[in-house]
Amino acid sequence: MDPVLLGLARNPALPRTLVASLTALAAADPDDELAARLAGRPDLDGAQVAALAAQVPASLVPLVRAGRLTADDVDPAARPDAALALLDEGRGTPAWARRFAADPDRAYREALAACPGLPPDVVDVLAGDPDVRVVAELALWGAPGMAARLAAHPSAQVRRAVACDEAAPPDVLTALVTGEGMPPVRRCQVCDQEEVPFAHDPSCPRADCELPAGASCDGTHASALHDVVLAALLNPATPADGVSGLAADPSSLLRAAVAARPGLPRDVYARLAEDPVPGVRESLAGNPSIEAGVFRTLAGDRYDEVRRALAHHPRVPWDVLARLAASTRVGAVLLPRVAAASPAEVRDLAASARPELRVLVARRRDLPAPVRDALAGDADAKVAGAVAGHPGLPESLLRMLTRRHGDRVAAAVASRPDVPAELLEELALREPPVRKALRATARQPHAPGPALLVCLRDARARQDAAGHPGLPPSVVTGLLDDPDEAVAEKAAANPSLPRPVMAARVLG
C-alpha cells in the first residue's frame, strides 16, 4: 500500500469527500492496512462508519475494536472474526458464544475461550473440548471456577495455563509448585505432537512448529512440568509456602523466580546472593524483602546488571547507593531511593563533593529553587544536563547552561516542554549539529519552522519533523515523495498538507 495513502487515512484535516474516496480504495487493498487506518479515525460519523463496514469487510474488526459497531451490525456467519471481536469486547450475544463453542474450526473455539463473561454452559463445553489448546486458553484467562477444576487436568499445557492465573486459589497454585495431591501428568505439548523420546531443536526450521525452543519429552514430561512450576513461581498470587526449597533447584530459571519472591526466610536470600548464575542474583537485587547483608554482598557483584538492579531498589542504603553510583551506569533515570529522599537528604546529595551523587538528585523535578539553581550552575556537565529538564528553570539559567556546557546539555534543554521557540531555533542551528537535540526539537509542538527545516537533515529526526504542523506546507508536499516511506507517510498525515495536494494524491 502506498505510504502516502496510509498517511492521508489518519490525517485529521482530510476532507469528508476524500474519506469516501479512500474507503473505495480500501476495498481493493489486499493487506487491509488502509481499512485499519480509516477505521481508527476518531472523526468518522455514522454514515461513514456504515459505508466503510459495507464496502470494506476488513474494516469490521478495527471498527469493533474502536467501539463503532454493535452486535446488530455484524453477521457472525459472514464475519466470524468480527463477531469474536465483539465477544472479546463483552458486547457479543450468548447465542454467538454457543455457536462458536460448537464450531468445527479449533481456532474459533480457542478465540472464544479467551473471551470474558461467557455463559456457564459455554464454559462447560469449552472445558471439555477435545483440543487441549482450547482448554488451555480457557484456563489462561481465568474463567470463574476454572482454576480448581482444571489444575488436575491430565495435560501439562492446561496446568501451566492455570499456574499463570492470578485469580487461582492459593492452595491450587501451591499444589502446582509442589505436585502434592496432584494426579500425574499424562500428556504434554511435545508428546501430543511427536514420538517420544523427542528433543526439540532450538533452531527448528519448520515454519508451522508450535513447540517451544528446547522443549523435550522422554515420557516423564519433565520439560513441561518445569514450565508449570516456573509459571506458578512467577505468579504473584502463589503463596511463599513451599517455594524456598526450589532455591537450590538445578534449574537457574526456577532459582531466579524464587529469588524475586518476597517473604522468604533470610537464609534463602543469603544463599541466592552467592548463586553462580548472574541472572539469579540480578533477580534477587530487585526483591523488596532483601536486607542489609544481601545489599552489601550484591553491591560488590562483578556483573553490571546485578549492581544496576540493586541501584534501582527503593530501599537501597545510602552508603551502598554511593558505592554503586561510583562503579555502575545506573541509567539516566530518577532512582526510586532518590525519589523518596527527605528534604535533608536532598540537600546533602546536592552538596556532595561527588558529581555522581549530585547527578542522581538533579533528576528530581520537585527540587527547591535554591537547590535547583545551584545544580544548574554545577561545573559538571552531567549534573547540569540532568537538572536542565526541571520545570522551574528560568530562561536566563537555560541560556547560561547552553553557553557553559554547549552540546552536552543541548538535548536536555531542547526536550523541555517550556523551552522558548527562539532557543530551540538557536540549538537547532548549532554547528556541527547536535543530533539528539534535533530529535528533541522535532517532537516539540511549538518548534519554529526554521528549526524544523534543520531537523530534516537528521535521519531520525526527519520523520517527526515531516509530521510537524509547523513545517511549511510546500516542504510537507515535497516530502510525500521521500525515499523513506516512513517520512512520506508522516508527511501525508500532516494537517498542514494543502487540500488540493491531498485530493491529487487520492484521486490521481
Side-chain angles (χ1 to χ4, degrees), residues 11 37 39 62 101 109 136 142 169 183 209 225 255 443 458 478-479 501 506:
N11 191 316
R37 298 294 178 86
R109 303 196 309 276
C209 184
L225 286 170
R255 298 199 308 275
R443 293 190 290 269
D458 180 77
L479 292 172
V501 176
V506 172

Side-chain angles (χ1 to χ4, degrees), residues 134-473:
V134 176
V135 185
E137 195 72 10
L138 183 70
L140 182 64
W141 293 102
M146 280 296 103
R149 177 175 171 182
L150 296 177
H153 195 279
S155 169
Q157 193 171 347
V158 175
R159 294 192 190 189
R160 183 187 180 281
V162 173
C164 294
D165 181 9
E166 294 187 21
D171 60 327
V172 168
L173 293 171
T174 296
L176 289 171
V177 172
T178 64
E180 295 177 7
M182 285 286 182
V185 166
R186 301 192 181 281
R187 48 192 293 209
C188 68
Q189 192 174 1
V190 177
C191 61
D192 274 348
Q193 303 178 40
E194 307 288 347
E195 279 192 38
V196 295
F198 180 84
H200 186 226
D201 182 354
S203 303
C204 178
R206 292 182 296 175
D208 61 344
C209 184
E210 297 180 355
L211 290 177
S216 63
C217 183
D218 60 0
T220 64
H221 319 293
S223 173
L225 286 170
H226 172 277
D227 290 347
V228 172
V229 175
L230 179 59
L233 288 175
L234 294 174
N235 187 335
T238 300
D241 298 345
V243 167
S244 297
L246 294 171
D249 194 272
S251 167
S252 62
L253 290 176
L254 296 187
R255 298 199 308 275
V258 172
R261 300 286 316 209
L264 301 184
R266 293 181 181 180
D267 63 310
V268 173
Y269 295 138
R271 184 188 319 141
L272 290 167
E274 304 292 347
D275 196 280
V277 177
V280 175
R281 303 194 303 274
E282 181 182 356
S283 181
L284 179 65
N287 191 314
S289 293
I290 59 175
E291 296 184 354
V294 173
F295 276 118
R296 288 175 170 77
T297 298
L298 295 178
D301 201 284
R302 69 180 185 275
Y303 283 90
D304 285 347
E305 293 83 356
V306 177
R307 300 196 307 275
R308 186 176 300 114
L310 195 66
H312 285 259
H313 197 290
R315 292 191 303 103
V316 59
W318 284 116
D319 64 309
V320 173
L321 183 57
R323 180 180 173 187
L324 293 169
S327 64
T328 310
R329 292 186 176 183
V330 299
V333 296
L334 177 62
L335 297 179
R337 183 67 181 91
V338 178
S342 68
E345 289 168 336
V346 166
R347 289 193 297 271
D348 288 345
L349 285 171
S352 172
R354 297 171 55 180
E356 65 268 20
L357 292 179
R358 300 198 303 274
V359 77
L360 295 182
V361 74
R363 295 192 178 107
R364 284 185 58 145
R365 294 296 174 257
D366 59 349
L367 297 171
V371 174
R372 176 202 68 200
D373 294 352
L375 290 170
D378 201 286
D380 189 287
K382 289 184 178 179
V383 177
V387 82
H390 197 288
L393 280 175
E395 182 177 349
S396 59
L397 280 180
L398 291 178
R399 291 189 175 277
M400 180 272 290
L401 281 171
T402 55
R403 284 195 305 271
R404 176 177 292 180
H405 300 290
D407 295 355
R408 291 173 292 179
V409 301
V413 173
S415 299
R416 295 175 55 88
D418 61 348
V419 59
E422 297 81 2
L423 185 52
L424 272 179
E425 187 171 339
E426 292 174 23
L427 292 172
L429 293 172
R430 294 181 74 91
E431 287 293 346
V434 184
R435 302 294 180 187
K436 288 185 178 180
L438 293 180
R439 294 160 198 165
T441 299
R443 293 190 290 269
Q444 287 285 15
H446 62 291
L452 293 169
L453 291 174
V454 179
C455 292
L456 291 174
R457 301 175 192 169
D458 180 77
R460 288 175 59 185
R462 188 176 179 83
Q463 290 185 28
D464 286 321
H468 199 292
L471 203 61

Side-chain angles (χ1 to χ4, degrees), residues 115-127:
C115 296
L118 297 174
D121 60 306
V122 171
V123 172
D124 288 340
V125 170
L126 293 173

Side-chain angles (χ1 to χ4, degrees), residues 460-487:
R460 288 175 59 185
R462 188 176 179 83
Q463 290 185 28
D464 286 321
H468 199 292
L471 203 61
S474 60
V475 177
V476 178
T477 300
L479 292 172
L480 296 179
D481 297 312
D482 197 274
D484 184 333
E485 291 190 352
V487 172

